[in-house]
C-alpha cells in the first residue's frame, strides 16, 4: 500500500484547512444544526398551532376541545420529536456501517424532506396529524445526524485538530437554536399566516447539504478499516490533507486496521458483555445521560418565567430569549478554541462544576426574590452563566468522546448507546420538568445541581485525558483500567501490531 503511494511532508496547511473548513458546514448544516433548529422553532407558533388543532376537531366532529385537551395534544406533538430522535439514534449505527458516514448523512435528508413536505401541506390538508408525523420524521433525522456527524468529523480530522473539528458539531447545534429563535420572530415567520412555512423551513439547510456534501470525501478510516479499500482511503486522505499525508497518520490507521482484523462491527448489547470496554462504556453512559439530566434544555422552558418575574414585558420576552441561545453559541466557539489547549477532561469537569455553582446561586436567588427586588435580575444572570458553562464543556466534549475512546469496530454501537440515552433522558426530562416546578418550586434546580456535581466527580476520578493521543494509546490506557484488578498482563487483550516499513515515494494513483 505505502509503496504505491506518496507520503508528502511538505507543508500545505492552508490547503487542507480550507478543505476541512468547507466540509464542516456542508455536513453540519443538514446535520446537528437541525437538532437545535427544530428544538427552538416550536416555541413561536405554539398559540397558532393550538388554535389549528381546535379548529380541526371542530370541523371534523363538531367538538371544541378545552384548554387542557389542546395543551395535551400540543405537548405530544412537541415531545414526540424526542422519540423520533431515539429511533434515529438506534438506526444510525447500522446505517453508518452499511452506507458509510457521508452517505448516511446524505440519505438522512430523506426523512428531513418528507418532514418538511408534511409540515408545509398540513394546513391546507386540515390535518394536525401531519404535523405530528412531521415531528417524528425530523426527530429521526436529528437522531441520526447527532450520532453520525461527530463520528464523521472525528475520523476525518488529523490528530491535533480532532477535538476542535468534532466540537464544531456543538457549535452548529447552538447556532441552530439561535437561528430557529430568529426565524421564529413575528416579523419573519413566527406570525399566524406563516407558521406552516416556519415548520417546513428546516428543508432549506438539508437541500444545501445535498448540493454540497457529495463534493467531499468519505471517512478515510471507514474506507480502509470497514471496507478494506486502500486506494479510496489514501485518495480521501490526500484530499483532506491537501497533499500533506504524514507517515505517522497512515501508520496509525493501519495499526487500528491490524487490531480490527477479523473483527466484525459490534452490536450495542455486545459491549455490555465485553470487559475490555467496561470503563469506556460506563463513561459514555454517565456523560451522555448527564448532558440532558443537567437541565440545560429546561432552561429554555424556564426562561420565560424568570424573564417575566424580572419585569420584562411579555411581548419582548421572545427577543430576550434569543440571548440564551446566543450564550451557548458563543461558549461553544470559545470551547473550540480551548479544547486542544486545555484538553477534554478539564473542559468537561470544569463545565459541570460551574453549572453546579450557578444552580445553587439560582436556587438562592429564587428563594429571596420576594424579599429583595433585584433578585430576579440575579436569577436571569444565572440562566445565562449556566448556559455559558454548559456550552464551554459538556455541549461539545460529550460528542467527541465516543470517537476517541472506542475502536472502529465498537464506535457505531457506542454512538447508538450514547444517542439512545441522550434522547431518552431528553424525553423523560421534558415530561417531568413541569411536575418538578410545581412540586419543588424554587428548589426545582437542586436535582440538576446534584447531577452536575456527581458527573464532575466521575470525570475527575475516572476519565483519562485524550488530548493529542492516538486512538491506540487511548485504548491502551483504558485496557489498564479495565484489567487493573486482574493483576496479570495475560488477561489483557492481545492487540495486533502493524510493522512499520520504509516509504517509497510515487505520484501514481
Amino acid at each position: 500500500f505505502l509503496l504505491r503511494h506518496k507520503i508528502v511532508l511538505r507543508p500545505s496547511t492552508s490547503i487542507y484547512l480550507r478543505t476541512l473548513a468547507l466540509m464542516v458546514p456542508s455536513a453540519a448544516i443538514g446535520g446537528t444544526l437541525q437538532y437545535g433548529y427544530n428544538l427552538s422553532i416550536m416555541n413561536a407558533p405554539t398559540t397558532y398551532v393550538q388554535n389549528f388543532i381546535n379548529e380541526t376537531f371542530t370541523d371534523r366532529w363538531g367538538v371544541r376541545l378545552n384548554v387542557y385537551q389542546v395543551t395535551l395534544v400540543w405537548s405530544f406533538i412537541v415531545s414526540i420529536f424526542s422519540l423520533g430522535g431515539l429511533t434515529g439514534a438506534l438506526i444510525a449505527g447500522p446505517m453508518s456501517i452499511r452506507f458509510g458516514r457521508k452517505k448516511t448523512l446524505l440519505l438522512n435528508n430523506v426523512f428531513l424532506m418528507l418532514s418538511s413536505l408534511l409540515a408545509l401541506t398540513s394546513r391546507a390538508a386540515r390535518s394536525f396529524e401531519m404535523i405530528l408525523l412531521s415531528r417524528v420524521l425530523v426527530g429521526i433525522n436529528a437522531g441520526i445526524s447527532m450520532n453520525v456527524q461527530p463520528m464523521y468529523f472525528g475520523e476525518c480530522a488529523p490528530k491535533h485538530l480532532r477535538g476542535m473539528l468534532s466540537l464544531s458539531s456543538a457549535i452548529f447545534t447552538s447556532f441552530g437554536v439561535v437561528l430557529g429563535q430568529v426565524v421564529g420572530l413575528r416579523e419573519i415567520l413566527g406570525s399566524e399566516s406563516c407558521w406552516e412555512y416556519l415548520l417546513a423551513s428546516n428543508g432549506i439547510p438539508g437541500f444545501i447539504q445535498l448540493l454540497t456534501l457529495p463534493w467531499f470525501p468519505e471517512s478515510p478510516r471507514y474506507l480502509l478499516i470497514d471496507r478494506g479499500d486502500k486506494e479510496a482511503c489514501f485518495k480521501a486522505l490526500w484530499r483532506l490533507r491537501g497533499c500533506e499525508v504524514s507517515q505517522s497518520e497512515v501508520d496509525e490507521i493501519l495499526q487500528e486496521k491490524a487490531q480490527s482484523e477479523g473483527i466484525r462491527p459490534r452490536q450495542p448489547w455486545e459491549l455490555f458483555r465485553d470487559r475490555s470496554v467496561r470503563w469506556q462504556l460506563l463513561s459514555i453512559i454517565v456523560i451522555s445521560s448527564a448532558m440532558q439530566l443537567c437541565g440545560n434544555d429546561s432552561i429554555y422552558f424556564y426562561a420565560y418565567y424568570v424573564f417575566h418575574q424580572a419585569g420584562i414585558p411579555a411581548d419582548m420576552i421572545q427577543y430576550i430569549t434569543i440571548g440564551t441561545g446566543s450564550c451557548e453559541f458563543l461558549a461553544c466557539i470559545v470551547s473550540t478554541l480551548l479544547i486542544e489547549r486545555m484538553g477534554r477532561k478539564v473542559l468537561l469537569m470544569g463545565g459541570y462544576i460551574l453549572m453546579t455553582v450557578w444552580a445553587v446561586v439560582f436556587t438562592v436567588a429564587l428563594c429571596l426574590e420576594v424579599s429583595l427586588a433585584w433578585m430576579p435580575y440575579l436569577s436571569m444572570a444565572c440562566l445565562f452563566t449556566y448556559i455559558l458553562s454548559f456550552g464551554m464543556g459538556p455541549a461539545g466534549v460529550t460528542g467527541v468522546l465516543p470517537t476517541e475512546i472506542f475502536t472502529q469496530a465498537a464506535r457505531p454501537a457506542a454512538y447508538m448507546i450514547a444517542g439512545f440515552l441522550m434522547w431518552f433522558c431528553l424525553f423523560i426530562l421534558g415530561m417531568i420538568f413541569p411536575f418538578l416546578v410545581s412540586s419543588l418550586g424554587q428548589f426545582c434546580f437542586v436535582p440538576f445541581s446534584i447531577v452536575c456535581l456527581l458527573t464532575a466527580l466521575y470525570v475527575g476520578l475516572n476519565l483519562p485525558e485524550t488530548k493529542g493521543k492516538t486512538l491506540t494509546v487511548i485504548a491502551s490506557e483504558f485496557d489498564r483500567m479495565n484489567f487493573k484488578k486482574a493483576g496479570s498482563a495475560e488477561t489483557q487483550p492481545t492487540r495486533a501490531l502493524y510493522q512499520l516499513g520504509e516509504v517509497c515515494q510515487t505520484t501514481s494513483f
Side-chain angles (χ1 to χ4, degrees):
F1 169 55
L2 293 177
L3 294 177
R4 297 168 57 192
H5 295 95
K6 179 181 181 182
I7 295 181
V8 183
L9 301 179
R10 293 192 302 272
S12 56
T13 304
S14 61
I15 297 177
Y16 85 76
L17 285 181
R18 183 170 65 246
T19 302
L20 290 174
L22 293 174
M23 184 195 76
V24 167
S26 175
I29 195 171
T32 55
L33 180 140
Q34 292 288 348
Y35 170 73
Y37 187 79
N38 288 288
L39 200 64
S40 61
I41 61 172
M42 295 304 291
N43 294 322
T46 298
T47 303
Y48 310 131
V49 178
Q50 286 179 347
N51 292 336
F52 173 70
I53 293 171
N54 216 338
E55 292 170 2
T56 302
F57 268 86
T58 304
D59 293 342
R60 288 182 186 175
W61 300 290
V63 177
R64 189 162 187 85
L65 302 178
N66 57 41
V67 175
Y68 170 78
Q69 292 171 320
V70 173
T71 303
L72 183 62
V73 175
W74 169 248
S75 299
F76 189 64
I77 289 175
V78 174
S79 61
I80 205 170
F81 173 73
S82 302
L83 296 182
L86 192 151
T87 304
L90 293 178
I91 66 175
M95 286 184 66
S96 66
I97 294 171
R98 177 165 184 172
F99 301 111
R101 295 12 173 183
K102 186 185 79 170
K103 190 175 291 185
T104 296
L105 291 173
L106 291 171
L107 291 174
N108 193 27
N109 285 288
V110 172
F111 300 107
L112 182 64
M113 295 305 173
L114 288 175
S115 167
S116 182
L117 180 63
L118 287 170
L120 184 64
T121 56
S122 60
R123 192 173 193 173
R126 307 296 295 172
S127 173
F128 67 88
E129 295 89 350
M130 294 174 67
I131 302 176
L132 184 69
L133 182 57
S134 171
R135 292 291 291 176
V136 174
L137 291 173
V138 80
I140 294 174
N141 171 270
I144 293 174
S145 62
M146 290 287 284
N147 279 15
V148 178
Q149 184 184 305
M151 196 190 315
Y152 179 51
F153 287 171
E155 293 178 1
C156 287
K159 180 177 61 178
H160 66 287
L161 293 178
R162 192 171 57 220
M164 182 181 295
L165 205 65
S166 298
L167 197 60
S168 63
S169 298
I171 292 179
F172 278 90
T173 299
S174 55
F175 176 67
V177 172
V178 178
L179 184 62
Q181 291 170 337
V182 172
V183 174
L185 292 175
R186 286 187 296 271
E187 294 80 359
I188 304 180
L189 292 179
S191 61
E192 196 279 333
S193 60
C194 297
W195 61 262
E196 71 270 29
Y197 299 105
L198 175 62
L199 299 183
S201 60
N202 51 29
I204 298 175
F207 181 73
I208 295 174
Q209 183 185 76
L210 288 173
L211 294 178
T212 57
L213 189 58
W215 298 96
F216 296 97
E218 178 59 89
S219 159
R221 291 180 180 275
Y222 169 79
L223 291 172
L224 180 59
I225 299 174
D226 289 328
R227 288 181 50 185
D229 193 337
K230 298 179 181 179
E231 296 284 341
C233 170
F234 196 85
K235 288 181 180 179
L237 282 173
W238 183 78
R239 291 180 61 192
L240 288 168
R241 304 295 180 262
C243 299
E244 183 189 9
V245 182
S246 67
Q247 179 179 350
S248 61
E249 183 173 8
V250 175
D251 289 336
E252 181 192 347
I253 299 177
L254 290 173
Q255 174 77 12
E256 188 174 356
K257 177 175 173 57
Q259 294 173 358
S260 304
E261 201 70 42
I263 301 177
R264 60 175 176 80
R266 311 290 295 279
Q267 298 297 327
W269 54 87
E270 294 176 335
L271 299 186
F272 288 95
R273 301 195 299 264
D274 189 350
R275 183 175 181 176
S276 66
V277 296
R278 180 177 55 186
W279 279 102
Q280 294 97 311
L281 186 61
L282 181 60
S283 298
I284 291 301
I285 290 173
V286 171
I287 295 170
S288 299
S289 300
M291 185 177 179
Q292 296 297 345
L293 296 180
C294 69
N296 182 76
D297 286 336
S298 299
I299 291 289
Y300 297 107
F301 172 80
Y302 202 57
Y304 182 89
Y305 168 77
V306 177
F307 294 145
H308 181 72
Q309 291 296 107
I312 298 174
D315 59 342
M316 295 297 295
I317 290 179
Q318 66 166 337
Y319 303 102
I320 303 299
T321 52
I322 294 177
T324 58
S326 300
C327 278
E328 186 172 337
F329 177 55
L330 294 175
C332 287
I333 293 177
V334 174
S335 181
T336 302
L337 301 175
L338 295 177
I339 190 170
E340 297 299 346
R341 292 176 178 269
M342 301 180 65
R344 286 65 158 153
K345 185 173 182 176
V346 173
L347 290 179
L348 194 60
M349 183 172 61
Y352 278 118
I353 290 175
L354 288 174
M355 291 169 72
T356 304
V357 172
W358 293 122
V360 172
V361 176
F362 184 54
T363 301
V364 173
L366 289 178
C367 292
L368 299 177
E369 68 179 6
V370 177
S371 56
L372 297 175
W374 52 272
M375 274 297 168
Y377 296 96
L378 178 59
S379 300
M380 185 169 57
C382 287
L383 289 180
F384 287 102
T385 51
Y386 194 90
I387 293 171
L388 282 169
S389 302
F390 178 80
M392 287 288 290
V397 179
T398 303
V400 178
L401 288 178
T403 298
E404 296 187 328
I405 67 178
F406 283 93
T407 62
Q408 186 80 7
R411 196 171 295 136
Y415 268 105
M416 289 173 64
I417 295 172
F420 173 85
L421 289 171
M422 283 192 288
W423 286 100
F424 180 74
C425 291
L426 176 63
F427 177 75
I428 295 299
L429 189 62
M431 295 295 292
I432 69 173
F433 184 75
F435 299 99
L436 284 177
V437 174
S438 61
S439 60
L440 298 181
Q442 63 267 37
F443 299 102
C444 62
F445 264 70
V446 171
F448 301 143
S449 65
I450 295 174
V451 169
C452 292
L453 180 60
L454 293 177
T455 306
L457 290 174
Y458 177 87
V459 172
L461 296 175
N462 299 303
L463 188 67
E465 179 56 69
T466 60
K467 181 190 73 172
K469 298 177 181 178
T470 65
L471 301 182
T472 303
V473 171
I474 296 170
S476 298
E477 291 187 8
F478 273 104
D479 281 346
R480 288 194 291 271
M481 296 174 60
N482 291 324
F483 298 94
K484 180 172 58 176
K485 294 183 179 180
S488 173
E490 296 178 357
T491 60
Q492 296 190 22
T494 301
R495 296 190 178 274
L497 296 178
Y498 162 71
Q499 182 65 40
L500 303 182
E502 294 183 358
V503 178
C504 180
Q505 296 187 357
T506 177
T507 57
S508 63
F509 279 100

